[in-house]
Amino acid sequence: MNRFAQLLDRLSYQPARNGKLRLMTDYFRHTPDPERGYALAALTGALSFRHAKPALIRDLVGERVDPALFALSYDFVGDLSETVALIWRADESAHGSNHPPVLLSEVVDGLARAGRSDLRKLLASWLDALDETGRWAFLKLITGALRVGVSARLARTAVADLGGVEVDAVEQVWHGLEPPYLPLFAWLEGKGERPTAIDPAPFRPAMLAQPLNEKDFEKLDPREFCAEWKWDGIRLQVSAGRDERGHRLLRLYSRSGEEVTPAFPDLADALGAIEARDFALDGELLVLREKRVQSFATLQQRLNRKTVTAKLVAEFPAHLRAYDIIALDGEDLRALPFVVRRARLERFVKEVDCPRLDISPLVAFEDWPSLANARENPAEAGAGEDGAAVEGVMLKRRDSIYVAGRPTGPWFKWKRDPFNIDAVLMYAQRGHGKRSSFYSDYTFGVWRASADGDELVPVGKAYFGFTDEELARIDRFVRNHTIERFGPVRVVEHGADKGLVFEIAFEGLNRSTRHKSGVAMRFPRIARIRWDKPPREADRIEALELLLKEG
Amino acid sequence: MAEQSAAAAVLTTTPAGLYCPAGDFHIDPIRGAARALVTHGHSDHARAGSTQVLATQATLAIMRARLGPNFACSLQAIRYGEPLTIGDARVTFVPAGHVLGSAQILIEAHGRRVVVSGDYKRAHDPTCAPFEPIRCDAFVSEATFGLPVFRHPPAVDEVAKLLASLRVFPERTHVVGAYSLGKAQRLLALLLEAGWDRPVWVHGAMESMIALYRADGVRMVETRHVTTADKPKLGGEIVLCPPSAASDIWLRKMPDPLVAFASGWMRVRARARQRGVELPLVVSDHADWSELCATVKETGCSELWVTHGAEEALVHWARTQGLAARPLHMIGFGDEDEADGLSTETQA
Ligand SMILES: [Zn+2]
Ligand SMILES: [Zn+2]
């Protein structure tokens, strides 16, 4: 467990994909069975034991640590497992100081057998036996929150590297294997035959678009491109096949290849009823109600839920708006040009006539200015009532084949222009999660006239739009210019000559009676930090009111 | 006023910082004062602009090097353990174990004993005199790492981590961010103890402080100015620089730099990640939670004031121990690792 914990620790600080691969491959090479197999299962999310509830962990630590001190520590560290890992003190009296090392296989096995009542004692004894890093990794694992920037696919790539084979070769046999994957390691180390099971519903690496710069237009010929709406949803790949006995197997994958089928049983059922022997579609996951696309905020209600209830499914029906077909009836379509795939997709969607599946329409345009116009006014350019769910347009070369990754040239995304204003930082609050030790939530305001002269009135809050370096600098600014504190909130110095100006970008503006200023911004974020600009030059509320009228 | 607290009988807080009316002096004032007693040379404690400054010889030397020769009108050096009467107060400087010359200040006035800790630590540090606990009625403590999640591992283990990484990645330059006063010298001394036998390449901003430590007789590994190095040949070598320089362009000429950072904050993953650190080294010049609690107990004080840092937790803990405790929420003090970027900006 300590070795695995060290691997996770190093992975968590290693930003480079290649560095992560090297660390993992090295671990798999130097760790014996079955430890490495359970580690692979942990990294690919294939371990199934009942996760310990955070409440249980809190409870355990509550027996040993003053609750007020725990609360303050948790508030600072921002992560329950990490806080417990650091604050935990081994109960030396009960166990003595020489614990045998804890094995990952022992943990997996122990969790599978433990009844509810012995779980407590078991967890405490493991926590006593591990060091800070070990406790952190252990708690992440048992609460099902192991995230070290490694996708299941990357972990499988590291295993493939062990045997010098392509990751696709591992993907094809993966479906038929179980932890601790002894036949897989045996094959990769040349000590066994290749496992036989072939996954009938594999993930095919997604093709991504590069952001479009205005100056790209000089080089691009509009006649060579098709345009589609860029929907404000979640990229989804559906892959369907049949197993040896002819039973339907269907999987939904995120764009990085994580399987998300259990989160969308309604969509999986609907698509599973399609009769074709096998198919793979690329599209956008959206919530539709009465055929209308709902906002991203609505879609979010459906995401990140631990359990999918019937009520949730009924209230937020999941839908696939397809824009590509990459496999059909045993044929890999990825090498065909976009327009040919598009024609196949249109025919497929029409023939299967599935209520949860439709096609993302093409956007008609003659030249770049007319596309720019469509992008600005999607409702009038064909998106109709779904116009609000459009966040821009996609450009795809007519002859583009479907390749993995983000190649330069064939696909572009062109997002809508947001609005911008200059506003003054007024209050700062500590963030959540990994940002909880920084002042990262900012309330900003603009000038308005009052009886005592001009004053700042808050118009919104922003949590993102800055780099980690900028965050550290703003955090220091906040700490050095605090004039008052209320719990987690700091009032930051703000006046005509003193304070910090943010250029705020936002998607739109609504009238609001809940806000003192009378307006509410949609998706405000920090576009630039104007260290150079005196607050007196920030915008006035009239500028926003003007936008409201125009809108 | 028989009920008045010992600390309040001797000290008050003013906009300039802690003030002792009996001796008419400030301690570590954040703006110019008539008479300033300075605990140590870090920039948040030792500022220019006071008329008279009293500090240890080493602290005065550090201030002279950082602030220029005219940072005050008159200077007075004081030795550890030698009491001095100022007005109606008697002050004694006692080692704080934080950096070279760092001191706690014991003030005796109106029959009370109050200790102002400045910054301090209890862990092993070959570069400065170790902390000495002083019995007192009231203790005024820092609390930079005043949360029970902070228990600094032994610094030698963290240096061993650095050496282990050098064995695993012998082709990469190990660039270690460390604050130039205190942390850098401690690492250089620990590297010597660990048997590192090659020179360490140092950033220009650190040279004056290293020279000052050497002049004081502190033994450290050999250092060389990094600008004299053939940068592409620095694979497998250690480069020491201020934290703010660890992401600078000058790193780019070095072979595949691996960025490490030595700071107590490296205990918290979010902090390490935010810095883009690949090798976090948990090395601190401040007391950790256990040291803070143990120190408060050792002083035997009945009253605790907490100047800066995570005040709430230490105050809460002290109250559960039956002490009268109060957070001062003093503005203008940070810890040096966090303040570093800012201080180099203002110097530039
Ligand atoms: Zn200090
Ligand atoms: Zn300090």
Side-chain angles (χ1 to χ4, degrees):
Chain A
M1 184 74 211
N2 272 328
R3 243 174 126 164
F4 180 53
Q6 280 157 18
L7 170 69
L8 296 177
D9 185 51
R10 297 190 61 186
L11 286 172
S12 75
Y13 290 117
Q14 176 55 253
R17 182 177 181 276
N18 264 327
K20 287 183 201 277
L21 282 174
R22 254 174 73 177
L23 288 169
M24 282 189 286
T25 308
D26 185 69
Y27 170 85
F28 290 131
R29 184 166 292 130
H30 294 115
T31 309
D33 289 320
E35 290 299 294
R36 58 179 176 180
Y38 288 113
L40 176 61
L43 289 166
T44 53
L47 282 183
S48 60
F49 46 78
R50 195 161 3 96
H51 289 143
K53 296 232 160 62
L56 173 61
I57 315 286
R58 271 173 187 270
D59 215 36
L60 274 174
V61 77
E63 289 171 3
R64 299 201 186 184
V65 182
D66 176 310
L69 292 179
F70 182 79
L72 287 166
S73 298
Y74 183 26
D75 180 51
F76 183 86
V77 175
D79 179 288
L80 181 67
S81 299
E82 190 180 344
T83 310
V84 174
L86 292 176
I87 214 168
W88 186 268
R89 280 293 153 270
D91 183 355
E92 300 287 340
S93 59
H95 302 271
S97 50
N98 285 323
H99 302 278
V102 181
L103 293 175
L104 177 58
S105 50
E106 185 192 328
V107 171
V108 173
D109 192 51
L111 287 173
R113 287 160 195 252
R116 212 175 279 272
S117 55
D118 5 303
L119 189 62
R120 270 181 98 85
K121 260 173 77 187
L122 201 56
L123 295 191
S125 74
W126 282 329
L127 287 171
D128 281 348
L130 292 162
D131 63 9
E132 275 89 349
T133 306
R135 285 195 291 267
W136 166 75
F138 169 72
L139 290 170
K140 287 287 172 193
L141 180 70
I142 63 162
T143 52
L146 199 62
R147 275 183 289 271
V148 288
V150 171
S151 65
R153 187 171 169 85
L154 196 66
R156 290 194 286 269
T157 308
V159 179
D161 287 352
L162 184 67
V165 303
E166 289 294 317
V167 61
D168 280 342
V170 174
E171 297 283 5
Q172 280 171 8
V173 300
W174 182 257
H175 169 64
L177 299 170
E178 276 179 3
Y181 309 108
L182 302 181
L184 176 70
F185 284 106
W187 165 53
L188 292 168
E189 289 182 335
K191 295 168 196 155
E193 289 293 298
R194 182 176 189 210
T196 48
I198 299 287
D199 187 350
F203 172 67
R204 294 165 177 89
M207 177 161 176
L208 306 173
Q210 61 181 133
L212 185 76
N213 293 316
E214 312 279 324
K215 59 181 187 297
D216 288 330
F217 286 122
E218 293 160 23
K219 292 172 284 177
L220 302 179
D221 181 348
R223 286 166 302 184
E224 287 173 354
F225 286 87
C226 293
E228 298 164 2
W229 299 122
K230 179 164 174 26
W231 299 102
D232 199 3
I234 302 273
R235 184 85 178 264
L236 195 76
Q237 183 180 126
V238 46
S239 180
R242 294 189 187 279
D243 65 16
E244 316 83 66
R245 286 164 298 170
H247 292 150
R248 164 62 83 224
L249 204 81
L250 180 134
R251 293 207 185 89
L252 305 175
Y253 295 100
S254 74
R255 72 173 210 187
S256 61
E258 308 296 329
E259 192 181 345
V260 295
T261 321
F264 306 102
D266 50 337
L267 181 59
D269 285 351
L271 296 171
I274 291 172
E275 293 200 342
R277 184 167 65 92
D278 65 75
F279 61 91
L281 303 174
D282 189 2
E284 201 80 359
L285 176 78
L286 299 168
V287 164
L288 260 65
R289 287 178 185 150
E290 274 143 28
K291 300 200 169 155
R292 292 276 72 89
V293 180
Q294 304 300 302
S295 71
F296 189 74
T298 308
L299 171 58
Q300 266 178 325
Q301 312 277 318
R302 182 73 201 261
L303 308 172
N304 305 323
R305 295 293 182 98
K306 286 221 175 77
T307 50
V308 183
T309 60
K311 184 166 172 276
L312 189 73
V313 167
E315 230 177 300
F316 304 99
H319 192 97
L320 183 72
R321 183 153 285 182
Y323 33 70
D324 220 319
I325 185 161
I326 50 187
L328 182 62
D329 290 330
E331 192 186 349
D332 188 342
L333 308 181
R334 287 177 289 184
L336 298 175
F338 174 78
V339 285
V340 177
R341 294 199 309 277
R342 175 85 199 178
R344 297 280 275 273
L345 178 67
E346 280 168 8
R347 205 160 48 204
F348 178 81
V349 170
K350 197 159 172 242
E351 277 172 15
V352 300
D353 191 25
C354 169
R356 296 294 184 97
L357 173 69
D358 64 7
I359 192 164
S360 184
L362 292 180
V363 180
F365 70 102
E366 274 157 26
D367 47 22
W368 298 133
S370 71
L371 185 63
N373 194 37
R375 182 185 65 129
E376 282 313 310
N377 309 293
E380 282 125 69
E385 285 179 65
D386 290 341
V390 167
E391 55 166 5
V393 291
M394 301 291 300
L395 283 176
K396 296 180 176 175
R397 273 190 76 99
R398 294 170 170 275
D399 60 0
S400 57
I401 60 168
Y402 195 100
V403 291
R406 200 188 301 277
T408 307
W411 287 11
F412 295 94
K413 55 183 173 193
W414 190 21
K415 291 207 183 184
R416 297 174 80 174
D417 285 332
F419 302 100
N420 281 56
I421 56 149
D422 286 335
V424 183
L425 171 61
M426 298 178 70
Y427 315 110
Q429 189 171 348
R430 283 220 285 264
H432 299 280
K434 70 168 192 153
R435 280 183 167 167
S436 69
S437 63
F438 296 98
Y439 285 90
S440 65
D441 296 5
Y442 310 114
T443 301
F444 49 83
V446 295
W447 295 105
R448 75 168 176 199
S450 80
D452 313 319
D454 281 351
E455 61 169 18
L456 285 165
V457 57
V459 289
K461 265 186 165 208
Y463 317 94
F464 52 92
F466 34 84
T467 65
D468 284 353
E469 264 163 46
E470 286 169 335
L471 169 62
R473 203 172 156 197
I474 305 173
D475 179 72
R476 280 200 297 272
F477 182 91
V478 168
R479 288 170 198 270
N480 289 329
H481 295 85
T482 299
I483 49 177
E484 242 180 300
R485 316 211 299 191
F486 302 100
V489 179
R490 290 190 179 212
V491 181
V492 185
E493 199 168 23
H494 52 269
D497 297 304
K498 285 184 171 172
L500 181 58
V501 176
F502 291 145
E503 183 181 321
I504 303 287
F506 54 100
E507 300 294 332
L509 210 57
N510 295 332
R511 245 175 242 293
S512 162
T513 47
R514 285 189 306 128
H515 294 73
K516 207 163 136 194
S517 61
V519 295
M521 288 179 177
R522 287 203 301 274
F523 304 116
R525 59 196 178 270
I526 296 175
R528 263 196 308 168
I529 304 156
R530 300 296 304 265
W531 299 101
D532 56 309
K533 193 161 193 167
R536 64 167 72 250
E537 290 174 22
D539 275 305
R540 304 186 59 86
I541 190 76
E542 291 80 12
L544 290 175
E545 279 158 3
L546 206 66
L547 282 176
L548 267 181
K549 284 194 196 101
E550 285 172 0
Chain B
M1 293 295 278
E3 292 297 304
Q4 197 189 20
S5 80
V10 175
L11 288 173
T12 59
T13 53
T14 71
L18 283 172
Y19 175 68
C20 172
D24 186 25
F25 59 78
H26 280 86
I27 295 178
D28 294 348
I30 58 165
R31 60 177 77 139
R35 186 194 269 271
L37 275 58
V38 175
T39 59
H40 67 286
H42 278 144
S43 54
D44 52 334
H45 295 258
R47 300 177 197 245
S50 288
T51 316
Q52 298 180 49
V53 170
L54 175 69
T56 62
Q57 192 66 262
T59 298
L60 292 176
I62 291 164
M63 290 177 79
R64 213 173 286 125
R66 307 189 111 193
L67 303 170
N70 305 318
F71 68 88
C73 300
S74 84
L75 307 180
Q76 187 180 355
I78 186 167
R79 281 177 206 277
Y80 288 133
E82 290 185 1
L84 177 75
T85 301
I86 308 176
D88 294 331
R90 203 163 80 125
V91 301
T92 314
F93 281 51
V94 178
H98 176 56
V99 295
L100 185 67
S102 67
Q104 320 167 62
I105 302 176
L106 164 66
I107 310 167
E108 291 162 287
H110 308 302
R112 320 274 198 158
R113 289 163 65 83
V114 177
V115 171
V116 177
S117 75
D119 293 339
Y120 65 100
K121 72 167 175 297
R122 309 295 302 270
H124 168 72
D125 182 347
T127 70
C128 60
F131 181 94
E132 293 172 17
I134 315 163
R135 304 287 297 181
C136 57
D137 301 306
F139 187 54
V140 182
S141 180
E142 62 135 327
T144 305
F145 293 103
L147 286 170
V149 285
F150 290 110
R151 307 216 197 205
H152 308 322
V156 286
D157 291 359
E158 300 301 288
V159 169
K161 218 196 252 180
L162 172 65
L163 298 182
S165 176
L166 280 153
R167 278 192 298 276
V168 179
F169 297 107
E171 78 286 3
R172 301 181 68 183
T173 311
H174 284 55
V175 180
V176 184
Y179 192 69
S180 33
L181 167 56
K183 195 71 59 68
Q185 294 77 15
R186 188 176 178 203
L187 289 175
L188 291 169
L190 288 167
L191 281 166
L192 185 72
E193 283 183 358
W196 183 255
D197 54 5
R198 293 206 294 282
V200 167
W201 301 87
V202 300
H203 188 274
M206 301 186 142
E207 292 216 299
S208 65
M209 286 300 128
I210 294 171
L212 206 140
Y213 268 64
R214 285 197 201 281
D216 215 83
V218 176
R219 293 192 60 237
M220 293 174 285
V221 79
E222 185 194 338
T223 49
R224 289 199 196 147
H225 198 316
V226 72
T227 50
T228 65
D230 183 5
K231 291 222 177 67
K233 291 202 179 130
L234 285 177
E237 302 296 335
I238 301 173
V239 173
L240 209 54
C241 66
S244 55
S247 55
D248 274 0
I249 319 162
W250 66 273
L251 292 186
R252 290 193 194 149
K253 286 190 187 134
M254 298 174 191
D256 195 8
L258 185 154
V259 176
F261 183 36
S263 160
W265 297 116
M266 294 299 101
R267 210 22 143 186
V268 175
R269 314 184 80 82
R271 292 266 161 170
R273 270 199 299 271
Q274 175 266 326
R275 287 246 176 203
V277 170
E278 217 181 304
L279 184 66
L281 303 173
V282 189
V283 182
S284 173
D285 288 342
H286 294 267
D288 68 9
W289 175 257
S290 337
E291 293 171 28
L292 289 170
C293 296
T295 305
V296 171
K297 282 187 173 165
E298 273 177 76
T299 64
C301 67
S302 55
E303 201 181 334
L304 176 73
W305 279 10
V306 185
T307 52
H308 62 288
E311 298 116 300
E312 289 95 333
L314 193 60
V315 164
H316 170 85
W317 170 83
R319 288 180 181 154
T320 64
Q321 304 295 306
L323 306 184
R326 189 187 139 194
L328 300 185
H329 297 303
M330 292 185 71
I331 309 283
F333 292 89
D335 75 293
E336 11 334 302
D337 295 330
E338 298 284 304
D340 186 76
L342 214 61
S343 58
T344 51
E345 271 159 33
T346 48
Q347 276 161 27

